[in-house]
Amino acid sequence: ALFESVCAFFTPKRLAGRKVVITAGPTFEAIDPVRGITNSSSGKMGYAIATACVRAGAEVVLVSGPVMLPAPLGVRRVSVSSALQMRDAVFAALPGADVFIGVAAVADYRPVQAAEHKIKKSGASISIDLTPNPDILAEVAGGPNAPFCVGFAAESRDLDGYAEGKRRSKRLPLLVGNLVADGLGGDDNTVILYDDAGKHPLPRAAKPVIAERIVEHLASLLPAGAGQLQA
Amino acid sequence: ALFESVCAFFTPKRLAGRKVVITAGPTFEAIDPVRGITNSSSGKMGYAIATACVRAGAEVVLVSGPVMLPAPLGVRRVSVSSALQMRDAVFAALPGADVFIGVAAVADYRPVQAAEHKIKKSGASISIDLTPNPDILAEVAGGPNAPFCVGFAAESRDLDGYAEGKRRSKRLPLLVGNLVADGLGGDDNTVILYDDAGKHPLPRAAKPVIAERIVEHLASLLPAGAGQLQA
């Protein structure tokens, strides 16, 4: 706590007076009472960004999927499991937000139906029908009076192509891209920032260091003045 | 470490000279490089049993799925991800084992094929074909010179029926049953032990306490003499 206070004291208050809503972690899409579809996101990147935003003076709401991390000091955490729950929590937190940062690895699909009781094993093959989940970031970015939206893209190949495609189709002013092998679940990451000015690769570093750089960059792109931005 | 040593000193050495192989945690069955099917097992029960076995004087190999727990002192941990990897690691550890305790919540099914690259989202519904995983416990219990095998059953209903059915079909001398709502992922558990003498409910307690009781019970059922048991 003392360390946090000292760090916060020496960090420029680039986000003073701003409200930031962040999603982090995986989502868990239930198949039955015990099984589900998830991904290997650890939540570390989103939690590091939440910490960096608090240090920069922001009011932070962290909507988190199931992870094993403690809530960062000074952050209001809302814990959720599925993508539908995450969407509800995000829209509940959004009024008055200046910035939305979608770091969570939200499951793209969920089982059409979750079984009420544990599915018993049989020798036969089975199949699970999946339906697309809502795209929380696209909904936030496309809404009226949208906050400044930052997206994340973890890809296994062709990062530039997918990242710029995602940034343009969702009309995001800033997108953070990384290769899955470089970051997912680990302590370090190698990321590239994509914005209207182009591509800005950051040197490989620990996630808290990367998070500080991302927050600095995002703060530099924010229009002056507190309060909600115009869409 | 001092606390562990003191506890170990005062615990009767019921498993001295015995080798115990334990599985713990969930398995993660890859759909693509980031997504997969898993379950909400935390690994706490299996890790607590591994600790209790070490205290009771056993040599312990812990084959663990992906969890956020440190390896217990004195345990040899082998980390795996999928059920197929878990089976390989169990059979590699099995020679010379007196006891096998299958605590892991092994995924019953895995995707027929894991995609090499991240599946891109589209607006359409999709389905995933699943094929049954091997039943590691049944394979171990049914093998030649099988060790003393202990199974676990987490059910969402009709615990007695499913537990006794599982114990008989796999020919297990001991099975630990619990209701999903009582234990999965949490710190406490309420379990019932099923053996040839019948049903033995244990009072609700923290997982380390439950683990000590299970190990005591299992040690009382073990035939005298070190070395591998006859099937």
Side-chain angles (χ1 to χ4, degrees):
Chain A
L2 178 63
F3 176 73
E4 266 311 308
S5 306
V6 172
C7 289
F9 183 81
F10 285 108
T11 305
K13 293 289 163 288
R14 292 188 179 87
L15 295 178
R18 307 284 195 171
K19 177 178 174 183
V20 181
V21 177
I22 302 169
T23 63
T27 63
F28 183 87
E29 309 297 330
I31 296 173
D32 69 17
V34 296
R35 303 180 181 91
I37 296 177
T38 188
N39 59 66
S40 38
S41 166
S42 63
K44 287 174 194 163
M45 196 68 230
Y47 276 59
I49 287 179
T51 299
C53 287
V54 168
R55 282 192 192 159
E59 172 197 349
V60 177
V61 181
L62 177 62
V63 180
S64 175
V67 299
M68 303 285 279
L69 300 170
L73 211 70
V75 161
R76 180 157 73 85
R77 176 164 68 173
V78 182
S79 295
V80 299
S81 179
S82 69
L84 293 179
Q85 290 168 355
M86 185 172 276
R87 177 173 64 170
D88 287 348
V90 164
F91 279 94
L94 216 55
D98 303 287
V99 179
F100 175 72
I101 312 178
V103 194
V106 181
D108 291 333
Y109 296 92
R110 67 176 181 277
V112 171
Q113 208 167 358
E116 190 188 349
H117 290 290
K118 189 175 167 186
I119 300 168
K120 301 310 292 181
K121 187 178 186 171
S122 71
S125 293
I126 60 173
S127 92
I128 301 178
D129 293 321
L130 305 176
T131 188
N133 264 327
D135 185 326
I136 299 172
L137 179 59
E139 287 187 12
V140 172
N145 298 317
F148 182 92
C149 286
V150 183
F152 274 68
E155 302 295 340
S156 62
R157 57 173 170 178
D158 188 14
L159 179 56
D160 284 350
Y162 284 127
E164 266 302 333
K166 186 169 180 175
R167 197 176 83 82
R168 283 181 190 161
S169 69
K170 298 190 188 179
R171 297 164 181 253
L172 306 174
L174 179 60
L175 186 133
V176 182
N178 75 288
L179 287 169
V180 169
D182 284 338
L184 209 73
D187 289 321
D188 291 354
N189 207 346
T190 307
V191 308
I192 299 176
L193 307 185
Y194 299 87
D195 62 18
D196 287 342
K199 184 180 160 179
H200 316 275
L202 299 185
R204 182 166 186 79
K207 287 179 175 176
V209 175
I210 299 273
E212 297 280 353
R213 297 288 163 280
I214 293 170
V215 171
E216 273 170 35
H217 195 91
L218 118 75
S220 75
L221 296 176
L222 274 186
Q228 199 155 332
L229 303 171
Q230 296 307 309
Chain B
L2 177 63
F3 176 74
E4 266 310 308
S5 307
V6 172
C7 289
F9 183 81
F10 286 107
T11 306
K13 292 288 161 289
R14 293 188 178 90
L15 295 179
R18 306 284 195 171
K19 177 178 174 182
V20 180
V21 177
I22 302 169
T23 62
T27 64
F28 183 87
E29 310 295 330
I31 295 173
D32 68 18
V34 295
R35 303 181 182 92
I37 297 177
T38 188
N39 59 67
S40 39
S41 166
S42 62
K44 287 175 195 162
M45 196 68 231
Y47 276 59
I49 287 179
T51 300
C53 287
V54 167
R55 282 191 190 161
E59 172 196 348
V60 177
V61 180
L62 177 62
V63 179
S64 175
V67 298
M68 303 286 279
L69 301 169
L73 210 70
V75 161
R76 179 157 73 85
R77 175 165 69 174
V78 181
S79 295
V80 299
S81 179
S82 69
L84 294 179
Q85 290 169 355
M86 185 172 276
R87 177 172 65 170
D88 287 348
V90 164
F91 279 94
L94 216 55
D98 302 288
V99 179
F100 175 72
I101 312 179
V103 194
V106 181
D108 291 334
Y109 296 91
R110 67 176 182 278
V112 171
Q113 208 167 357
E116 189 189 348
H117 290 291
K118 189 174 168 186
I119 299 167
K120 300 311 293 181
K121 187 177 186 172
S122 72
S125 294
I126 59 172
S127 91
I128 302 178
D129 293 320
L130 306 175
T131 187
N133 264 326
D135 185 327
I136 299 171
L137 179 58
E139 286 187 14
V140 172
N145 298 316
F148 183 92
C149 286
V150 182
F152 274 69
E155 303 294 341
S156 62
R157 58 175 170 177
D158 189 14
L159 180 57
D160 285 352
Y162 283 127
E164 266 302 333
K166 187 169 180 177
R167 196 176 83 82
R168 282 179 191 162
S169 69
K170 298 190 188 179
R171 296 167 181 254
L172 305 174
L174 179 60
L175 187 133
V176 182
N178 76 288
L179 287 169
V180 168
D182 285 339
L184 209 72
D187 288 323
D188 292 354
N189 207 347
T190 309
V191 307
I192 300 176
L193 308 185
Y194 299 86
D195 63 17
D196 288 342
K199 184 180 161 178
H200 316 275
L202 299 186
R204 182 165 186 81
K207 287 180 175 178
V209 175
I210 300 273
E212 297 281 352
R213 297 289 163 279
I214 293 170
V215 170
E216 274 172 31
H217 195 92
L218 116 76
S220 75
L221 296 176
L222 275 186
Q228 200 154 334
L229 304 171
Q230 297 306 306

